[in-house]
Every structure is written in structure tokens, then in C-alpha cells.
Amino acid sequence: MADDFCDFTKDTFILKPPKKSPLLLRMVVLLFAMICGIYICSICLKQIGSRSSGPLVTVHVVERPCETTNVDPSEKTYIHFPKPKTFCRAECACNPVRFFAIFSTQRSGSGWFETLLNSHMNISSNGEIFSVKVRKSNASTILETLDKLYDLDLLTSASKNECTTAVGLKWMLNQLSYDGFLSLDCCCDTVYRRWTLGLLQHHEEIVEYFKRRGVSAIFLFRRNLLRRMVSMLANSYDQNANLLNGTHKSHVHSPKEAEILASYKPTVNTTTLIANLKQIRGMTANALEYFKSTRHMILFYEDIIKNQTMLNDVQDFLKVPRMDLHSRQVKIHKAPLSLQVENWSDVEKALKGTPYESFLHADYKI
């Protein structure tokens, strides 16, 4: 009995701790995690706010400049890496580009010569860009137009792809400050005064520009100025006569068209003949004198006709790979001058015994 009492007393006074609720424990852990998360987020937001309130940091991407290797120091002035605004040169951005200008006079083969250059895949000669009046109104607009051309932002039908390596234009020495060319019947003084309103009037600014931007000049003249005069008179006549089915063409692409245009035999004004020949010779001499300090080469139409390997010299001058150049243009006046001038006997009398007598005989065969 006593043992039973003792057992009762033990069982009665030994207290067992109650079992903890798992749900309550989980809620405590979750609450602690939420508090920690809120604290961490508040710290991050403060850091982001302090950064955004500070000065913005601008990151500039520095392009690696294009380099010229294996180039003579004297040639570096003429090597350029244009960055046009109108398109991207892409993988050709570091392909060097040469700048050039063709200086010539009307009916001296410059149109034919330019088509030859443009048949080269890397040459872009953009024609008479200064035939547009607003581009030549003063020296500033001339230089602005040249900048646009040599920056590859003047788009014409002759513009090539982004891998062009030589870009230029054709510029007439006898082009006026307004559209058109002088009549051959003008007196000598008037011819000189009005002709200097074109390119030669601003020669100082243009020469300085050529030196500063590394532009090379190509002079293209005719040796026989009498032939040039006959070509000018015939072309002037066709502007009104429109011999080719009612249309005027300065250049043709078929022998038949050339034969039709050559059928007209102009009459030369022998009274002003000597003065006009003297004037054109003086104008070309002045141009050569003005631009003698620039990098340049001199070509004559007759020489290229007789020996087209001279075109290799032009390609070497422009530092482009040599290619076979071609043109679709067909020469118009092929016959001897005596068969192309209506008053040939008068012309002979006027030129015999003068410095221009050689023009009567200096001919060539096509």
C-alpha cells in the first residue's frame, strides 16, 4: 500500500513540459524573415537614391584613329579618311581617299576623260558641280561646296560606294560666275574681264584650300586650239539646230550620231581669230602659274588619244590600282580640219606667219 502511495506521489509531482506548436514556430521565423527583408530593401533604396542624386557619368567611346603605314611623309598631306554624315563607310572607314580636281576648258575632251576615270571602280569624279549657280556665288560658297564634296556628302550620279579611294570634280577655267560660256566672237578685253569671274577670280582662296586639304590638280588642255574652236562653234550651232532628231547632244555614243553632228561645217570669224587664240592660251598659262605650288599633273587631249597608256600615269598619280579604263563616248570631229571648216582658205591666210600657224598642220589620226 505504501508503495502504491509513493508511486502516486511521484507521478503527481513530476511536471512534463507541454509540446511546442509547430505553427507558432513557423510564424515566428516568417516574421523574422520579413523584417530582415524590409530592412535590406530600405538600405538598397537609400543607396540607389544617393547615386541618382549625384552627377551623371558620361562614357565616351574613343575610336581608334586610322593609321597610314609605309607612306612617304610628304604624301601624308594627300591621304584622307573622310567621315561622311550621309552614310557610313563601314569596313572601308580606314581606306585612304585622295582628293583631286580636273581643270580644263570647254570642248577639250574633259567629258570623255571623266568617263574614263569613272569606269574605275574606286574613282568618283562628280562632273561640273559648279554649274549650279548658288554653289559659286562667292568664295565662301565655293569652299563650302568643296568641303561637302571631299567629305563624301555631295551625292551625284558618279558617287561610288563607301570604298571610293579617289574623289573629285571637273572644273572649267572659262566657266562664268553665272550659267553659260562666252561667245567666241567677243572682243579680247571683254573676254578676259568676264572669264576671270569664274574659277580664276578666286584662285588665291582655292590654292590655299588645296594646300590645306591636300587636293591634287589634273590639268587637261588641247594642243591644237583651232580644233577646240571648231568643236565649240559646232556645238553652239547644234544647241539651236538640234540635228539629232530635234535634240541637242554635246557628247554622243554612236558613230551614226557623230557623223550627223560632224556634217555641219562652221565658219570661223577670222577677224577675232588671233585674239581668241591668244586669250585662251593666256588663260591656261595663268591657271598653271596660279596653281604651280599645288600637287598637279598636266595632260593634253591629243597625247591621250594617241597613247592611252598615259592613263596609267593618271592612275598612279591618284594612287589607285591600275585598271583598263573605257568610255562609251564616240569622237565627233575625226576628219582633217581643212574638211571641217567652211572658210578654210580664209583661216589659212589669217594664221600663216603667226605663232599659231602650226595649228593648220598639227593634226592626228583616229
Side-chain angles (χ1 to χ4, degrees), residues 105-123:
T105 57
Q106 191 186 28
R107 313 307 297 178
S108 294
S110 60
W112 169 72
F113 179 73
E114 192 173 41
T115 60
L116 289 170
L117 292 186
N118 280 328
S119 69
H120 195 293
M121 64 183 298
N122 298 123
I123 300 178

Side-chain angles (χ1 to χ4, degrees), residues 48-75:
I48 293 173
S50 62
R51 289 179 182 177
S52 61
S53 61
L56 295 176
V57 178
T58 304
V59 179
H60 295 281
V61 179
V62 179
E63 296 183 6
R64 184 178 179 181
C66 298
E67 298 178 356
T68 55
T69 58
N70 300 324
V71 176
D72 190 274
S74 62
E75 287 288 315

Side-chain angles (χ1 to χ4, degrees), residues 106-156:
Q106 191 186 28
R107 313 307 297 178
S108 294
S110 60
W112 169 72
F113 179 73
E114 192 173 41
T115 60
L116 289 170
L117 292 186
N118 280 328
S119 69
H120 195 293
M121 64 183 298
N122 298 123
I123 300 178
S124 176
S125 188
N126 294 270
E128 297 179 50
I129 63 174
F130 290 109
S131 61
V132 180
K133 185 176 180 180
V134 295
R135 293 175 179 171
K136 56 185 177 182
S137 55
N138 54 56
S140 296
T141 57
I142 289 175
L143 300 186
E144 289 172 5
T145 303
L146 290 175
D147 277 338
K148 193 172 182 180
L149 170 71
Y150 294 130
D151 290 340
L152 306 184
D153 283 322
L154 186 66
L155 302 181
T156 70

Side-chain angles (χ1 to χ4, degrees), residues 81 90 132 205 216 240 280 355:
F81 302 97
V132 180
E205 295 93 334
S216 302
N240 297 318
I280 191 66

